[in-house]
């Protein structure tokens, strides 16, 4: 009565519902219902509509309160809300802050000509100018032992002692004020804006003061400086710009999300990777990033699902390059170890670890390895190859022999250059970096043996084309974002070199039509007679 729904169709349906629900939630964040009757008593009008003379004052203090002990570091008299600016000031550090302490910034917007404490209609926010983070281990030249110079005289810690978090200086302070003269409805006041909104009663109407916002997302790890006890002052870049109400609400939600992740144990570096998605990006591009990333996730899952199905049903290695399978296993493990050595976020590290385990399982299937446990010790047994598989292995070995003449000198030369001219934390770090650079720079060469095997067999019917196509879509998505997302140059080049090899695969697919008499990726032939008893029509 009902047709059986495939698992892929179900996943695509869930994906579509998820995208539509996310769009609705994003619309609810960005859109704010205005007050319908501007002259009604239910409306909250903006204080900025009266064009008051304002002043911006920024103080520092070792405690996050406004009671006393403040030092004025910058003031903007006749502060124009609509004019953006950037100022660089030198901030004196109290002794407590230099002794691994904290320093706060108190930002006031108040009437011009008086102090903030004399103005009952002032608005202010408190934010930290310091944060605690484990310092990056010093890198040394493994040949000469020369250590990399520390900027601002960062404190040296004993290599034997476990690293402990130290106070770092945030070199940027980014401020925003909502420039829209928006009329809020008291019955539909957004909860995210409510904590930033300060209002007073003027006659029968309510008036809200300027919506001041400190952009915490602009504080990146790359801008942090380790505080040294001998440094009396450090530079601070104060940036100001207007912000729309929709962007403010979106930014509030993103900051709350990052703060929640930090409460769950995410480090400053983990949060920084998430911040990098939003900084210096307009809302339209963020929306495009979301949709592309969502499709990237869908194609990743479908490629993973079809790849697992392919190898689970794989019974013969005819036409498949076992060397390419071994290389993929080796390269994924190297990349996982590299990410672990670089203390990459768990969001990236866990998928890389799972991918490494899957590649190890593929090697077990490809080499027909059986594991037997005797007395707590594993015993490995390798399966035998038939005539067609032995012929595939000969072609595979021949291709690797030709490839080794080019690959090995390049990898060894790159490792030797890095050892002489670059600095690393340890010999292990040099080894992992050299291997991962080889994977990124020359990894696509290990896809060539499979092309050579396809050429010798004059067939591509043995390849997992469904998984290939999903991975191809992801590769083209990576190409687009390789231009606009910050990433290492080697990784950016790796996005484009995969395209070349895949285009050759497509050419071979066109050149060698599927032969129905050959076994397909599941080890069966379309022309085989059915083994079961035939049914009468």
């Amino acid at each position: 009565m009902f047709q059986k729904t495939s698992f892929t169709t179900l996943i695509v349906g869930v994906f579509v519902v998820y995208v539509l629900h996310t769009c609705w939630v994003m619309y609810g964040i960005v859109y704010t219902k205005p007050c319908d009757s501007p002259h009604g008593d239910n409306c909250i009008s903006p204080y900025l509509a009266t064009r008051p003379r304002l002043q911006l004052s920024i103080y520092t203090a070792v405690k996050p309160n406004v009671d006393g002990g403040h030092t004025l570091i910058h003031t903007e008299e006749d502060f124009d809300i609509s004019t953006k600016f950037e100022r660089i000031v030198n901030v004196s550090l109290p002794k407590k802050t230099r002794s691994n302490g904290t320093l706060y910034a108190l930002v006031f917007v108040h009437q011009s000509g008086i102090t903030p404490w004399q103005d009952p209609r002032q608005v202010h926010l408190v934010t930290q100018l310091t944060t605690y983070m484990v310092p990056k281990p010093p890198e040394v030249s493994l040949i000469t032992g020369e250590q990399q110079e520390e900027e601002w005289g960062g404190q040296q810690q004993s290599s034997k002692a476990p690293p402990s978090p130290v106070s770092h200086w945030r070199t940027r302070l980014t401020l925003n004020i909502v420039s829209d003269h928006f009329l809020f409805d008291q019955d539909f006041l957004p909860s995210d804006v409510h904590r930033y909104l300060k209002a007073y009663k003027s006659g029968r109407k309510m008036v809200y003061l300027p919506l001041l916002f400190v952009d915490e997302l602009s504080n990146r790890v790359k801008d942090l400086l380790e505080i040294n006890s001998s440094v009396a002052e450090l530079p601070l870049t104060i940036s100001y710009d207007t912000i729309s109400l929709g962007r403010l609400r979106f930014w509030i939600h993103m900051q709350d999300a990052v703060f929640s992740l930090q409460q769950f144990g995410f480090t400053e570096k983990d949060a920084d990777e998430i911040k990098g998605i939003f900084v210096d990006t307009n809302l339209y591009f963020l929306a495009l990033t979301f949709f592309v990333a969502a499709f990237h996730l869908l194609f990743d899952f479908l490629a993973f699902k079809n790849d697992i199905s392919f190898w689970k049903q794989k019974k013969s290695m005819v036409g498949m390059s076992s060397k390419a399978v071994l290389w993929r296993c080796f390269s994924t493990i190297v990349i996982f170890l590299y990410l672990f050595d670089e203390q990459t976020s768990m969001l990236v590290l866990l998928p890389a670890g799972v991918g490494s385990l899957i590649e190890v399982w593929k090697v077990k299937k490809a080499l027909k390895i059986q594991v037997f446990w005797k007395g707590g010790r594993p015993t490995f047994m390798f399966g035998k190859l038939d005539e067609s598989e032995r012929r595939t292995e000969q072609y595979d070995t021949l291709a690797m022999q030709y490839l080794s003449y080019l690959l090995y000198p390049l990898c060894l030369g790159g490792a030797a250059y890095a050892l002489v001219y670059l600095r690393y934390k340890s010999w292990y770090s040099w080894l992992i970096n050299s291997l991962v650079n080889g994977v990124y720079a020359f990894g696509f060469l290990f896809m060539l043996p499979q092309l050579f095997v396809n050429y010798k067999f004059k067939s591509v019917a043995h390849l997992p084309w469904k998984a290939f196509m999903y991975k191809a879509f992801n590769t083209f998505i990576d190409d687009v974002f390789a231009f606009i997302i910050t990433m290492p140059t080697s990784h950016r080049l790796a996005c484009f070199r995969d395209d070349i090899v895949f285009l050759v695969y497509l050419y071979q697919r066109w050149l060698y039509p599927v032969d129905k008499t050959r076994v397909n990726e599941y080890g069966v032939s379309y022309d085989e007679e059915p083994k079961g008893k035939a049914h009468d029509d």
Side-chain angles (χ1 to χ4, degrees):
M1 183 176 178
F2 296 100
Q3 290 186 347
K4 184 179 178 181
T5 304
S6 67
F7 183 69
T8 301
T9 304
L10 180 63
I11 291 299
V12 172
V14 172
F15 169 77
V16 172
V17 172
Y18 165 74
V19 171
L20 294 176
H21 176 264
T22 304
C23 292
W24 175 255
V25 171
M26 294 295 295
Y27 174 77
I29 292 175
V30 176
Y31 175 76
T32 305
K33 186 180 184 302
C35 189
D36 295 329
S37 54
H39 301 288
D41 296 338
N42 212 36
C43 296
I44 309 177
S45 58
Y47 176 68
L48 293 178
T50 61
R51 299 186 178 276
R53 290 187 59 203
L54 298 177
Q55 181 175 323
L56 174 69
S57 300
I58 303 175
Y59 296 81
T60 58
V62 294
K63 294 182 179 180
N65 55 57
V66 296
D67 295 335
H70 310 110
T71 302
L72 180 65
I73 62 171
H74 184 69
T75 182
E76 288 281 334
E77 298 180 358
D78 295 328
F79 177 46
D80 186 3
I81 298 293
S82 60
T83 303
K84 63 182 295 186
F85 65 83
E86 184 171 288
R87 308 280 188 266
I88 299 177
V89 298
N90 289 323
V91 180
S92 298
L93 303 181
K95 185 177 180 180
K96 185 176 180 180
T97 303
R98 284 179 282 163
S99 302
N100 208 24
T102 306
L103 190 66
Y104 295 89
L106 288 77
V107 183
F108 292 88
V109 175
H110 56 95
Q111 292 183 33
S112 180
I114 60 176
T115 65
W117 290 271
Q118 296 173 332
D119 185 9
R121 295 177 182 175
Q122 55 85 12
V123 291
H124 74 275
L125 287 177
V126 180
T127 184
Q128 280 189 223
L129 292 177
T130 58
T131 186
Y132 287 95
M133 193 176 67
V134 176
K136 185 179 179 181
E139 296 179 346
V140 299
S141 173
L142 300 177
I143 300 296
T144 63
E146 181 183 354
Q147 186 168 319
Q148 188 179 23
E149 295 182 2
E150 293 290 329
E151 241 185 303
W152 300 99
Q155 297 178 354
Q156 299 294 328
Q157 294 187 355
S158 173
S159 58
K160 297 181 181 179
S164 57
V166 298
S167 187
H168 284 67
W169 178 254
R170 290 176 170 173
T171 59
R172 296 193 66 86
L173 176 62
T174 304
L175 309 174
N176 301 111
I177 291 181
V178 176
S179 58
D180 305 339
H181 293 172
F182 191 84
L183 283 174
F184 287 103
D185 192 325
Q186 296 186 37
D187 296 333
F188 298 96
L189 187 64
S191 58
D192 44 35
V193 177
H194 188 272
R195 67 176 184 262
Y196 289 91
L197 190 141
K198 182 180 178 182
Y200 66 93
K201 200 169 185 67
S202 177
R204 297 179 58 186
K205 294 184 178 181
M206 294 294 295
V207 179
Y208 68 91
L209 297 171
L211 290 173
L212 177 64
F213 179 70
V214 177
D215 186 2
E216 299 282 354
L217 295 179
S218 61
N219 294 323
R220 305 294 305 279
V221 169
K222 64 181 181 180
D223 298 324
L224 296 179
L225 296 177
E226 185 178 343
I227 296 177
N228 186 274
S229 58
S230 61
V231 178
E233 60 180 31
L234 286 174
L236 177 66
T237 302
I238 302 172
S239 300
Y240 167 78
D241 198 1
T242 57
I243 189 172
S244 64
L245 180 61
R247 188 182 180 91
L248 172 70
R249 295 190 60 195
F250 180 77
W251 240 233
I252 292 173
H253 281 270
M254 293 305 104
Q255 283 195 175
D256 290 347
V258 172
F259 178 75
S260 299
L261 292 176
Q262 290 176 318
Q263 295 298 109
F264 280 107
F266 275 58
T267 64
E268 184 80 21
K269 187 174 182 181
D270 294 333
D272 184 72
E273 296 182 7
I274 302 174
K275 291 178 183 179
I277 302 174
F278 306 105
V279 176
D280 299 328
T281 306
N282 60 58
L283 290 178
Y284 298 106
F285 181 72
L286 280 176
L288 175 63
T289 303
F290 163 74
F291 281 109
V292 173
F295 279 101
H296 196 291
L297 181 63
L298 175 65
F299 292 144
D300 263 339
F301 180 83
L302 294 177
F304 169 80
K305 177 249 182 186
N306 283 277
D307 205 22
I308 294 295
S309 299
F310 169 79
W311 284 99
K312 188 176 181 180
Q313 302 180 49
K314 189 70 175 173
K315 298 179 180 179
S316 173
M317 283 297 290
V318 176
M320 295 293 294
S321 171
S322 59
K323 301 292 190 304
V325 177
L326 284 169
W327 164 251
R328 281 196 299 269
C329 178
F330 171 75
S331 62
T332 52
I333 292 175
V334 166
I335 292 175
F336 171 75
L337 294 176
Y338 169 74
L339 294 174
F340 183 79
D341 183 63
E342 293 292 318
Q343 300 177 353
T344 306
S345 169
M346 295 297 291
L347 295 173
V348 179
L349 197 61
L350 286 178
V354 173
S356 301
L357 293 177
I358 293 174
E359 292 300 329
V360 172
W361 173 73
K362 288 182 184 179
V363 170
K364 177 179 176 295
K365 294 282 292 184
L367 301 183
K368 301 181 179 180
I369 301 175
Q370 293 182 337
V371 183
F372 301 96
W373 293 88
K374 295 181 180 179
R377 294 184 178 181
T379 302
F380 299 94
M381 182 178 294
F382 293 83
K384 295 182 179 180
L385 303 178
D386 58 27
E387 182 62 31
S388 298
E389 288 176 326
R390 281 196 293 270
R391 194 154 59 98
T392 301
E393 194 67 23
Q394 290 176 358
Y395 295 149
D396 196 15
T397 303
L398 182 61
M400 284 300 301
Q401 181 181 348
Y402 294 150
L403 194 59
S404 63
Y405 298 148
L406 173 66
L407 185 66
Y408 296 152
L410 290 175
C411 290
L412 293 175
Y417 176 86
L419 181 63
V420 174
Y421 293 102
L422 301 180
R423 291 178 171 85
Y424 296 94
K425 294 178 289 186
S426 62
W427 286 95
Y428 172 77
S429 181
W430 164 76
L431 176 63
I432 291 298
N433 275 269
S434 300
L435 289 175
V436 82
N437 285 334
V439 168
Y440 278 139
F442 313 117
F444 75 103
L445 296 178
F446 277 93
M447 303 178 189
L448 302 183
Q450 183 62 63
L451 297 176
F452 186 75
V453 171
N454 297 343
Y455 165 73
K456 286 294 185 179
F457 275 93
K458 299 295 188 292
S459 174
V460 293
H462 43 264
L463 297 178
W465 281 102
K466 283 187 178 180
F468 264 21
M469 292 307 298
Y470 290 131
K471 290 179 180 179
F473 290 138
N474 273 349
T475 299
F476 295 136
I477 291 174
D478 291 338
D479 293 344
V480 174
F481 281 89
F483 290 103
I484 49 185
I485 291 180
T486 303
M487 63 178 65
T489 304
S490 56
H491 193 82
R492 181 176 284 112
L493 293 176
C495 295
F496 295 105
R497 46 92 165 157
D498 291 343
D499 298 343
I500 301 174
V501 177
F502 182 74
L503 291 175
V504 177
Y505 275 120
L506 289 181
Y507 173 72
Q508 287 188 331
R509 171 118 177 146
W510 170 80
L511 190 63
Y512 310 133
V514 176
D515 185 357
K516 298 294 183 180
T517 62
R518 289 187 180 274
V519 293
N520 66 0
E521 64 264 31
Y522 302 114
V524 297
S525 171
Y526 292 107
D527 287 352
E528 288 180 351
E529 294 293 333
K531 295 181 180 179
K533 183 179 179 181
H535 295 280
D536 295 332
D537 292 334

